[in-house]
Amino acid sequence: MLSIALAGKPNAGKSTFYTAATRSEVDVANYPFTTIDANRGVTHVRTECPCLTRDERCGHEHCRDGKRYVPVELLDVAGLVPGAHEGRGLGNQFLDELSNADVIVNVVDASGATNEEGEPVEVGSHDPVEDIDFVEEEMDLWLAGIVADNWESVERQSRSPGFDLEEAVTDLMTGFGASEYDVAAVLREFDYPEDPIQWTDEDREALARGVRQRTKPIVVVANKIDVAPEENVERLLDLDKPVIPATAQGELALRRGADAGFIDYDPGDDDFAITGEVSDEQRETLDALRETMAEYGGTGVQQALDYAVYDLLDMVTAYPVQDQSKWTDAKGNVLPDAFLLESGSTPVDLAYAVHSDIGDGYLHAVNAKTNREVGEGYELEEGDVVKIVSTAK
């Protein structure tokens, strides 16, 4: 399952974001390192369900009137403090946990109510823009340290006949999720000595930064926009990088209200309806939240998850079926499964995602939307419904 990791300073709102997104209760408190052991849960990204093109909705448990929610893993780990790459705070534990994530969501306190150490301060007294590059820098320096600590093995290999630098570096970076293609692309982007013995700390740091950028892209969540000074939000949104305005607390309130039956709300909507009895104080709070959502297009929690997967990772959603006319599996379930695949993936890739045996026995595929057979090189598009014909059952 694709994995999203929440990063940021203590008290930025990561655990509230996690609770809202997964509906799993975790410790949330106003002091650093509330989260010590990583929390792992399942959340969902939202896309349009193919059933919208048919007369009736599919009825799948993850489809809400044509809004399809596709499961992904969400990881919430201990907050970062300056010097985390050197082991300060819970830095090593945090950064180790990040190594298996596919994409990072950097949660920043847009209100400026937490200082660089993650300690509570007066609203507006800390500049949240300073926190934007913080996570990137700590991750890059941490990885550069790992490269430096293990570089001697690369130097030893270089003395052997047939030494291949790209291969040696790929072996070194495999644990961080880097492929041979990633390493080759990074090495093409900067000048470096052919002899690894001649590499400097700057060379190794450039390698580390390049690999991190390719394998751990980051989207920033400007959290607490409902209480943030307007100038803070404007400056954050004007930055030349992806920043999603959000109120994790607002999302949590809506999901709890929906669970209790007095709010009608689907994650990712830009509005909600009050359907039950609420107190005057609750109504006032919900009215204020509605204004924030109207200004920013929602609470930002679902939008951040969607951006991380569909924009940063450039994934598409494909739906394998057995009956190409009814879009069902063998039991008659309509659009039973949704798979997230990298853009450019083919029906063969989808077959292997379903099961390795189906991939090994792949014969051909049919685009169930057009009822036409497609070739092995066909690139899947968002929302494709595909019948895979294989020797495996």
Side-chain angles (χ1 to χ4, degrees):
M1 184 182 294
L2 187 147
S3 181
I4 302 173
L6 298 176
K9 297 185 311 183
N11 273 325
K14 299 191 315 305
S15 293
T16 303
F17 188 110
Y18 176 88
T19 301
T22 63
R23 298 300 292 118
S24 299
E25 297 298 330
V26 297
D27 289 336
V28 178
N30 199 27
Y31 55 83
F33 307 122
T34 305
T35 302
I36 296 178
D37 296 322
N39 297 305
R40 292 179 181 273
V42 175
T43 187
H44 300 81
V45 290
R46 170 174 158 170
T47 187
E48 285 191 355
C49 186
C51 72
L52 284 172
T53 63
R54 297 171 75 90
D55 293 335
E56 296 181 1
R57 301 292 73 81
C58 64
H60 192 280
E61 62 175 329
H62 291 318
C63 178
R64 303 185 186 182
D65 196 27
K67 306 164 191 174
R68 185 72 177 229
Y69 293 88
V70 185
V72 294
E73 181 185 53
L74 188 62
L75 177 66
D76 174 33
V77 297
L80 275 177
V81 294
H85 67 280
E86 297 174 334
R88 185 165 179 264
L90 300 175
N92 285 334
Q93 176 180 326
F94 169 93
L95 293 162
D96 284 343
E97 292 283 0
L98 287 185
S99 64
N100 293 319
D102 297 294
V103 61
I104 310 296
V105 173
N106 179 13
V107 181
V108 171
D109 179 2
S111 74
T114 50
N115 63 19
E116 62 275 2
E117 298 285 341
E119 300 165 337
V121 294
E122 185 179 349
V123 171
S125 61
H126 177 73
D127 184 0
V129 175
E130 295 179 4
D131 302 330
I132 297 296
D133 296 328
F134 173 61
V135 169
E136 288 186 22
E137 186 70 11
E138 290 294 339
M139 289 181 64
D140 291 347
L141 292 176
W142 171 74
L143 185 56
I146 291 177
V147 172
D149 290 343
N150 292 275
W151 196 252
E152 185 179 346
S153 66
V154 178
E155 294 178 353
R156 286 198 303 268
Q157 293 176 55
S158 69
R159 302 186 182 98
S160 302
F163 169 74
D164 186 301
L165 179 61
E166 286 189 12
E167 184 178 328
V169 173
T170 299
D171 289 341
L172 178 61
M173 307 301 276
T174 298
F176 198 69
S179 66
E180 182 178 355
Y181 176 80
D182 292 325
V183 171
V186 171
L187 290 176
R188 284 196 300 268
E189 293 172 356
F190 72 99
D191 294 325
Y192 57 89
E194 290 296 327
D195 183 355
I197 298 176
Q198 302 301 319
W199 277 50
T200 64
D201 289 342
E202 289 73 20
D203 293 325
R204 286 184 283 270
E205 188 170 319
L207 171 66
R209 289 185 187 278
V211 169
R212 198 278 306 159
Q213 289 170 358
R214 288 191 65 88
T215 61
K216 302 290 182 288
I218 297 175
V219 58
V220 175
V221 168
N223 192 31
K224 308 183 185 180
I225 53 169
D226 47 334
V227 295
E230 185 176 345
E231 59 270 21
N232 279 15
V233 178
E234 290 178 352
R235 291 173 60 235
L236 287 167
L237 297 183
D238 283 342
L239 295 174
D240 186 24
K241 57 182 60 187
V243 178
I244 309 296
T247 166
Q249 191 64 54
E251 178 72 16
L252 181 57
L254 290 178
R255 296 207 188 190
R256 284 176 171 169
D259 290 344
F262 64 85
I263 296 289
D264 183 10
Y265 171 72
D266 289 334
D269 285 355
D270 59 7
D271 200 0
F272 59 91
I274 301 174
T275 57
E277 292 294 327
V278 296
S279 67
D280 291 341
E281 183 179 357
Q282 287 174 322
R283 185 175 295 275
E284 184 177 343
T285 300
L286 289 170
D287 286 344
L289 177 56
R290 177 177 279 116
E291 291 180 7
T292 300
M293 294 173 66
E295 182 175 359
Y296 296 107
T299 69
V301 171
Q302 188 65 57
Q303 289 82 354
L305 296 171
D306 296 346
Y307 187 92
V309 171
Y310 289 114
D311 292 88
L312 281 186
L313 294 182
D314 197 19
M315 308 294 279
V316 296
T317 321
Y319 303 79
V321 296
Q322 291 191 33
D323 189 315
Q324 66 195 58
S325 61
K326 296 181 180 179
W327 293 7
T328 59
D329 61 12
K331 297 180 179 179
N333 299 308
V334 181
L335 297 172
D337 298 303
F339 286 84
L340 290 167
L341 300 169
E342 293 180 2
S343 180
S345 294
T346 67
V348 178
D349 296 320
L350 177 59
Y352 275 107
V354 174
H355 196 282
S356 59
D357 290 345
I358 293 178
D360 289 341
Y362 179 89
L363 296 175
H364 67 270
V366 177
N367 183 331
K369 284 185 172 181
T370 62
N371 209 31
R372 294 180 178 177
E373 186 171 326
V374 292
E376 290 186 14
Y378 170 77
E379 293 190 2
L380 297 169
E381 298 179 355
E382 174 61 31
D384 269 355
V385 181
V386 181
K387 174 183 172 62
I388 298 170
V389 179
S390 172
T391 57
K393 299 298 183 181

